[in-house]
């Protein structure tokens, strides 16, 4: 999907536009008409395109002349932005001057660069790409930054995190490489699965939203699912001679409000419920108001609302009823309240809630 032709893009916006980069770097003919019309719409648009082209082409060591006035315009555009800024590393002397100005001004931000990895530099075995041309985004701000990919997936990259991905994606799969933390909202495409490789974990999805937390200086790595379904694997399993798609490939399947974690040097995935489960659907306001309601019905409402299985002995709870307003409580607060009222307990087993009770008289 092309950007909006009437939009007032800044130079930073153009640098982040996947379609613009394809047009400049790979001579994408599909973008000719769009970007030509965009330049004609306003006189300053042509200047922005020229400056942005210069930045991208200098990154690829294709020298392009750029005037001092255009450098001034670039710096002014960057300083005037009221959102996280971008710093770019380039080789053109003129653009290095602009970069120096930005550094003096103390403007930090997202580093975008296109890199070519050499043979032996890294492999998927440690959660990093192998050989080829990749786009790299580094967030060195103190706020999450939103990145939209060409196939409409959106990545929210957290501070001190890096994302790399091929340019372009392969024809049969979409693979990104993460160091740090990112939230993914993946465009659905069953014919082109999306993979996220981090330091210890690999996550496969078709179309869903999930959070990967894999900072290298942390002892625990995790994947949390917000919507849809994902499969999570350890790198040692993916690289033990088994091919992706093998029905015997070890891993865990996660659904909303479930997570998989691996701690330290542990060689197994632990499946559990996320620390703060969210509603999988917006319920009516009175959904969690109960008046002398059979406990099995209460648990059924909670299970449906949060998409989490709650197991119990129905015969034991057949005489238990609940009167309570639990509209404001979180899932675990609701469960704790139920247990206090009914003299019950619960535990989390394999991302499911298991209720224990002696019954109600």
């Amino acid at each position: 999907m092309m950007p909006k032709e009437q939009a007032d893009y800044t130079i930073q916006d153009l640098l982040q536009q996947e379609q613009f980069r394809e047009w400049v770097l790979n001579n994408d003919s599909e973008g000719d008409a769009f970007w030509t019309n965009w330049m004609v719409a306003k006189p300053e648009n042509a200047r922005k395109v020229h400056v942005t082209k210069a930045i991208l082409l200098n990154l690829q060591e294709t020298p392009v002349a750029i005037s001092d006035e255009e450098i001034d315009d670039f710096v002014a555009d960057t300083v005037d932005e009221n959102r996280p800024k971008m710093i770019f590393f380039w080789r053109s002397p003129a653009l290095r001057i602009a970069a120096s100005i930005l550094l003096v001004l103390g403007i930090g931000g997202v580093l975008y660069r296109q890199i070519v990895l050499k043979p032996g530099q890294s492999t998927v075995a440690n959660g990093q790409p192998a050989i080829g041309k990749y786009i790299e985004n580094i967030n060195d701000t103190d706020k999450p930054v939103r990145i939209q990919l060409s196939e409409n997936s959106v990545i929210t990259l957290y501070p001190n995190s890096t994302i790399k991905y091929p340019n372009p994606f392969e024809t049969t799969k979409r693979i990104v490489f993460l160091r740090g933390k990112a939230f993914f909202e993946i465009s659905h495409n069953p014919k082109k699965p999306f993979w996220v490789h981090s330091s210890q974990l690999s996550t496969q999805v078709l179309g869903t939203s999930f959070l990967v937390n894999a900072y290298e200086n942390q002892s625990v790595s995790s994947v949390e699912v917000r919507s849809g379904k994902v499969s999570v694997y350890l790198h040692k399993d993916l690289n033990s001679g088994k091919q992706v798609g093998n029905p015997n490939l070890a891993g865990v399947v996660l659904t909303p409000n479930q997570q998989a974690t691996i701690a330290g040097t542990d060689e197994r995935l632990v499946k559990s419920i996320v620390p703060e489960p969210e509603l999988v659907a917006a319920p009516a306001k009175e959904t969690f108001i109960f008046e002398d309601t059979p406990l099995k019905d209460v648990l059924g409402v909670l299970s449906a609302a949060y998409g989490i299985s709650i197991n119990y002995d129905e015969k034991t709870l057949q005489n238990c009823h609940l009167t309570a307003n639990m509209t404001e409580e979180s899932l675990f607060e609701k469960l704790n309240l139920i247990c206090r009222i009914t003299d019950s307990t619960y535990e989390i087993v394999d991302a499911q809630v298991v209720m224990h009770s002696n019954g109600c008289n």
Side-chain angles (χ1 to χ4, degrees):
M1 183 176 67
M2 292 297 294
K4 295 180 179 179
E5 191 167 302
Q6 70 275 19
D8 187 21
Y9 296 115
T10 65
I11 292 171
Q12 290 77 23
D13 293 331
L14 293 176
L15 285 164
Q16 287 185 295
Q17 278 285 350
E18 187 85 10
Q19 296 84 351
F20 183 84
R21 297 198 298 265
E22 285 292 316
W23 177 57
V24 173
L25 299 175
N26 298 321
N27 298 316
D28 179 19
S29 58
E30 293 183 7
D32 283 341
F34 175 85
W35 293 112
T36 299
N37 291 336
W38 191 78
M39 284 189 286
V40 171
K42 293 182 180 180
E44 63 266 26
N45 288 354
R47 189 263 312 167
K48 292 178 182 178
V49 167
H50 179 60
V51 174
T52 311
K53 271 189 173 183
I55 294 171
L56 292 173
L57 292 173
N58 274 278
L59 279 167
Q60 286 203 321
E61 297 184 334
T62 305
V64 173
I66 181 170
S67 67
D68 291 340
E69 290 78 15
E70 287 172 325
I71 293 175
D72 292 339
D73 288 342
F74 168 67
V75 174
D77 281 352
T78 306
V79 173
D80 287 343
E81 284 293 301
N82 291 320
R83 54 183 174 76
K85 299 297 185 293
M86 305 178 73
I87 294 177
F88 304 89
F89 292 88
W90 38 64
R91 299 172 181 85
S92 164
L95 292 175
R96 281 204 300 268
I97 294 172
S100 300
I101 296 172
L102 297 181
L103 289 171
V104 170
L105 290 172
I107 299 172
V110 179
L111 160 66
Y112 156 79
R113 61 186 177 190
Q114 187 157 286
I115 58 176
V116 177
L117 299 177
K118 298 177 181 179
Q121 182 172 344
S122 55
T123 66
V124 174
N126 62 357
Q128 295 298 312
I131 306 167
K133 185 179 290 185
Y134 287 78
I135 298 296
E136 180 181 70
N137 294 89
I138 302 173
N139 183 2
D140 64 2
T141 73
D142 59 358
K143 297 178 181 179
V145 173
R146 187 176 184 271
I147 301 167
Q148 182 162 355
L149 304 181
S150 58
E151 38 72 84
N152 292 326
S153 294
V154 175
I155 301 172
T156 301
L157 190 63
Y158 282 71
N160 301 314
S161 300
T162 301
I163 197 82
K164 294 179 185 176
Y165 51 93
N167 181 31
F169 282 123
E170 298 178 38
T171 57
T172 58
K173 55 188 173 183
R174 299 165 288 172
I175 298 178
V176 301
F177 301 87
L178 171 69
R179 289 202 311 267
K181 181 178 180 181
F183 182 72
F184 296 84
E185 299 169 85
I186 303 305
S187 175
H188 184 73
N189 187 347
K191 296 181 180 180
K192 202 169 182 178
F194 196 102
W195 281 86
V196 179
H197 295 293
S198 57
S199 58
Q200 292 178 291
L201 303 175
S202 288
T203 305
Q204 182 190 28
V205 302
L206 296 180
T208 185
S209 60
F210 59 100
L211 178 73
V212 178
N213 191 341
Y215 286 106
E216 293 181 350
N217 60 349
Q218 290 184 173
S219 60
V220 177
S221 295
S222 65
V223 177
E224 301 179 11
V225 176
R226 300 285 175 83
S227 64
K229 182 184 295 185
V230 309
S231 301
V232 183
Y233 308 91
L234 297 177
H235 286 315
K236 70 180 185 66
D237 293 327
L238 285 180
N239 293 280
S240 61
K242 299 177 181 179
Q243 296 297 319
V244 173
N246 188 328
N248 296 318
L249 189 63
V252 298
V253 176
L254 303 178
T255 55
N257 287 324
Q258 294 182 346
Q259 68 176 4
T261 59
I262 177 173
T265 58
D266 196 1
E267 295 189 350
R268 66 187 181 93
L269 287 169
V270 177
K271 184 177 177 181
S272 61
I273 297 175
V274 300
E276 298 181 9
E278 297 182 357
L279 296 168
V280 297
K285 186 176 181 180
E286 63 275 7
T287 298
F288 301 117
I289 299 175
F290 305 102
E291 186 172 349
D292 198 28
T293 305
L295 187 54
K296 66 180 184 65
D297 294 341
V298 174
L299 298 178
V301 169
L302 296 184
S303 179
Y306 291 93
I308 294 174
S309 296
I310 302 178
N311 300 297
Y312 56 91
D313 183 353
E314 188 170 341
K315 185 175 181 180
T316 301
L317 297 182
Q318 63 182 353
N319 294 324
C320 295
H321 291 71
L322 183 73
T323 297
N325 183 343
M326 298 190 291
T327 304
E328 302 299 327
E329 285 76 11
S330 67
L331 173 62
F332 291 123
E333 289 172 338
K334 290 178 173 70
L335 291 173
N336 290 333
L337 179 59
I338 290 171
C339 287
R340 287 199 301 272
I341 294 174
T342 62
D343 194 22
S344 305
T345 60
Y346 73 90
E347 60 179 330
I348 308 299
V349 180
D350 192 31
Q352 301 179 68
V353 176
V354 179
M355 296 283 299
H356 301 285
S357 176
N358 293 322
C360 304
N361 297 324

